[in-house]
Amino acid sequence: MSVIKPAVSYFFWVFLCGFVLGVVREVWMLQWLSQRNAELMEMPVILFVDWLSALYCVVRPSKKRRGSHFLLVGLLALILMLGFELTVVLGLRGLTFSAYVESRDVVSGGVYVLSLMLFMLMPWLVFAMNQRNQS
């Protein structure tokens, strides 16, 4: 239970921010930018939200945990993120999984996969940085 609550909280805030940014990108930014550039501009904001969410939802409330706890939190949050991406987001956009993969830009799609890996690792990275700063 100690992994579920922080993982859901971490996932929720990052997903909410990503959802809002996605709407802004699709409705407003694509008028001036290509899909690739709009998605790439979004990534630093998402990584910042990953960091803030990991810090405030995961690491600060559970200072007495070990590093493996934060890896599990990140893994569960990633599973939730992928589950929502593959059901809710694809459902709203009316895409199948194969159509979604085919529609992804090679560059921004690769950066997106990298951002998902950083999303998964961020609770552990923030924990490790905090441990190092306290030593």
Side-chain angles (χ1 to χ4, degrees):
M1 190 64 165
S2 65
V3 173
I4 294 171
K5 186 176 178 181
V8 170
S9 178
Y10 175 55
F11 153 76
F12 173 77
W13 290 111
V14 174
F15 183 81
L16 181 64
C17 179
F19 186 81
V20 169
L21 286 173
V23 170
V24 168
R25 179 187 70 234
E26 295 295 321
V27 172
W28 182 68
M29 289 178 70
L30 290 180
Q31 296 177 20
W32 296 282
L33 300 171
S34 68
Q35 183 79 29
R36 174 187 288 179
N37 289 336
E39 289 175 357
L40 290 175
M41 286 181 66
E42 193 177 295
M43 291 302 164
V45 177
I46 289 291
L47 288 175
F48 180 70
V49 171
D50 288 355
W51 175 76
L52 275 180
S53 297
L55 183 63
Y56 288 102
C57 296
V58 179
V59 175
R60 284 198 175 178
S62 54
K63 291 182 180 179
K64 303 220 186 300
R65 301 283 181 193
R66 301 180 66 137
S68 59
H69 169 81
F70 299 103
L71 287 172
L72 286 173
V73 168
L75 180 61
L76 180 56
L78 177 65
I79 290 168
L80 290 169
M81 183 68 73
L82 291 174
F84 269 75
E85 285 279 331
L86 296 176
T87 56
V88 175
V89 175
L90 293 182
L92 288 174
R93 295 179 75 187
L95 294 172
T96 64
F97 178 72
S98 59
Y100 174 72
V101 170
E102 290 172 8
S103 73
R104 296 296 301 191
D105 177 73
V106 175
V107 174
S108 61
V111 172
Y112 174 69
V113 170
L114 178 62
S115 76
L116 285 175
M117 294 301 106
L118 288 171
F119 168 73
M120 180 185 74
L121 293 172
M122 194 62 71
W124 179 78
L125 291 171
V126 171
F127 168 75
M129 287 188 305
N130 281 350
Q131 289 294 103
R132 186 174 174 187
N133 290 339
Q134 291 176 2
S135 310

